[in-house]
């Protein structure tokens, strides 16, 4: 198929222009971080662009809350959006650091694989893993995006979502991974109510045959659920009879990490 004359190719001028615009926008943020505040003329000079170009860049950044303009003298400064992004990054760094000893202790005590996951749009992403003595041959979950409805961590996130957002997730088709995956919204809704009430979630061969897991919520200082600690292993070790005790112990570990993150103070 022949590309239209004005349609930029993957390596064409359109791509180059877009990358240049992103580079300039980041440079604007760096200029404001360095000077505290600056006017359009000053920013244009440092970027070596026309004032109209600098003004357009500032307009886009202002619309996204990344810069703000002072009403009294018209200069720009970094906006609250930058603080929001920085806070989210810092929170993940903090929880990773604080979670290491908690997850390691739990893995050593139980002998099973312990993961910590954070929510990411339609999935739970595992950002930390500690293996116990019984799980030396367990698969590596680190960095994997796992479905919300078929994992213990995902159920934790669904159970603590705002109702409207949760219903939006449940209103979409739910993929079946095994014969035990819950794909009916009413059944999953009842399951999530149970998760919320008992303080931990359970999955039994819902993502993979032979795999069982429990997970509990980790809260930030304001009480919002920011992560989940899970314990997983083969069903011959994590039997249905053993899962409630593991759930309680995992919930205790998650509560300890929540305390380290400032919850309850």
């Amino acid at each position: 198929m022949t590309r239209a004359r004005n349609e930029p190719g993957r390596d064409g001028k359109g791509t180059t222009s877009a990358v240049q615009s992103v580079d300039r926008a980041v440079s604007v943020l760096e200029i404001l971080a360095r000077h505290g505040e600056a006017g359009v003329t000053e920013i244009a000079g440092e970027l070596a662009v026309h004032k109209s170009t600098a003004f357009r860049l500032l307009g886009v950044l202002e619309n996204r809350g990344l810069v703000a303009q002072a009403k009294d003298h018209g200069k720009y400064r970094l906006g609250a959006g930058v603080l929001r992004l920085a806070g989210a990054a810092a929170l993940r760094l903090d929880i990773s650091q604080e979670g290491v000893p908690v997850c390691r202790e739990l893995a050593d005590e139980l002998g099973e694989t312990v993961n910590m996951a954070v929510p990411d749009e339609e999935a739970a992403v595992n950002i930390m893993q500690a293996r116990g003595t019984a799980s030396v041959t367990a698969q590596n979950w680190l960095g994997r995006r796992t479905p919300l409805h078929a994992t213990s961590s995902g159920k934790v996130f669904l159970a603590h979502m705002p109702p409207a957002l949760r219903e939006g997730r449940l209103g979409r088709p739910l993929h079946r991974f095994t014969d035990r995956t819950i794909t009916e919204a009413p059944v999953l809704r009842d399951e999530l109510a149970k998760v919320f009430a008992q303080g931990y979630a359970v999955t039994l061969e819902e993502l993979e045959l032979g795999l069982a897991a429990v997970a509990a919520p980790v809260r930030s200082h304001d009480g919002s659920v920011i992560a989940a600690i899970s314990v997983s292993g083969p069903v011959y070790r994590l039997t249905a009879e053993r899962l409630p005790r593991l759930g309680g112990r995992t919930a205790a570990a998650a509560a300890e990490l929540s305390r380290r993150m400032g919850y309850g103070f």
Side-chain angles (χ1 to χ4, degrees), residues 181-194:
T181 307
I182 301 175
T183 59
E184 300 79 17
V187 178
L188 184 56
R189 195 176 288 112
D190 291 343
E191 173 82 359
L192 297 177
K194 182 179 179 182

Side-chain angles (χ1 to χ4, degrees), residues 199-236:
Y200 64 88
V202 171
T203 54
L204 192 60
E205 298 189 291
E206 294 173 41
L207 179 64
E208 295 181 6
L209 292 176
L211 178 69
V214 297
V218 177
R219 300 179 183 273
S220 68
H221 64 90
D222 63 0
S224 60
V225 173
I226 55 174
I229 292 178
S230 68
V231 176
S232 59
V235 292
Y236 65 82

Side-chain angles (χ1 to χ4, degrees), residues 145-182:
R145 291 171 57 84
T146 56
L148 297 179
H149 69 288
T151 60
S152 57
S153 292
K155 287 183 183 180
V156 166
F157 298 141
L158 283 172
H160 292 86
M161 273 184 186
L165 184 58
R166 180 172 58 248
E167 287 305 310
R169 298 285 192 270
L170 298 185
R172 303 171 189 171
L174 300 174
H175 181 74
R176 182 177 297 280
F177 295 92
T178 74
D179 290 341
R180 304 195 67 165
T181 307
I182 301 175

Side-chain angles (χ1 to χ4, degrees), residues 4-253:
R5 183 182 298 274
N6 294 326
E7 181 183 348
R10 191 165 292 188
D11 298 318
K13 292 182 179 179
T15 300
T16 302
S17 177
V19 172
Q20 187 178 55
S21 296
V22 172
D23 182 69
R24 286 173 174 172
V26 173
S27 296
V28 170
L29 297 177
E30 291 176 338
I31 290 168
L32 295 179
R34 188 165 61 248
H35 295 300
E37 62 178 19
V40 176
T41 301
E42 185 179 357
I43 292 171
E46 291 209 30
L47 293 177
V49 299
H50 194 275
K51 284 178 60 175
S52 62
T53 300
F55 188 77
R56 285 196 300 270
L57 288 169
L58 287 163
V60 172
L61 293 170
E62 186 175 20
N63 287 339
R64 302 304 295 266
L66 298 176
V67 305
Q69 187 178 25
K71 296 190 185 317
D72 54 348
H73 54 277
K75 289 192 174 184
Y76 290 85
R77 63 181 184 276
L78 293 177
V82 173
L83 297 176
R84 185 177 65 251
L85 294 175
L91 185 61
R92 288 203 177 190
L93 288 174
D94 286 346
I95 199 170
S96 295
Q97 294 170 354
E98 295 293 342
V100 169
V102 175
C103 292
R104 181 71 267 165
E105 180 181 352
L106 187 61
D108 289 343
E109 175 188 339
L110 301 179
E112 303 294 348
T113 298
V114 174
N115 283 282
M116 184 166 66
V118 295
D120 185 22
E121 297 293 337
E122 305 285 336
V125 179
N126 293 293
I127 62 171
M128 181 188 307
Q129 179 171 280
R131 293 183 178 179
T133 54
S135 60
V136 291
T137 59
Q139 60 180 298
N140 183 14
W141 294 94
L142 194 60
R144 284 186 57 178
R145 291 171 57 84
T146 56
L148 297 179
H149 69 288
T151 60
S152 57
S153 292
K155 287 183 183 180
V156 166
F157 298 141
L158 283 172
H160 292 86
M161 273 184 186
L165 184 58
R166 180 172 58 248
E167 287 305 310
R169 298 285 192 270
L170 298 185
R172 303 171 189 171
L174 300 174
H175 181 74
R176 182 177 297 280
F177 295 92
T178 74
D179 290 341
R180 304 195 67 165
T181 307
I182 301 175
T183 59
E184 300 79 17
V187 178
L188 184 56
R189 195 176 288 112
D190 291 343
E191 173 82 359
L192 297 177
K194 182 179 179 182
V195 170
F196 190 90
Q198 69 188 9
Y200 64 88
V202 171
T203 54
L204 192 60
E205 298 189 291
E206 294 173 41
L207 179 64
E208 295 181 6
L209 292 176
L211 178 69
V214 297
V218 177
R219 300 179 183 273
S220 68
H221 64 90
D222 63 0
S224 60
V225 173
I226 55 174
I229 292 178
S230 68
V231 176
S232 59
V235 292
Y236 65 82
R237 286 202 306 265
L238 274 63
T239 61
E241 294 74 24
R242 189 186 177 201
L243 288 177
R245 185 178 70 82
L246 291 177
R249 182 62 190 89
T250 304

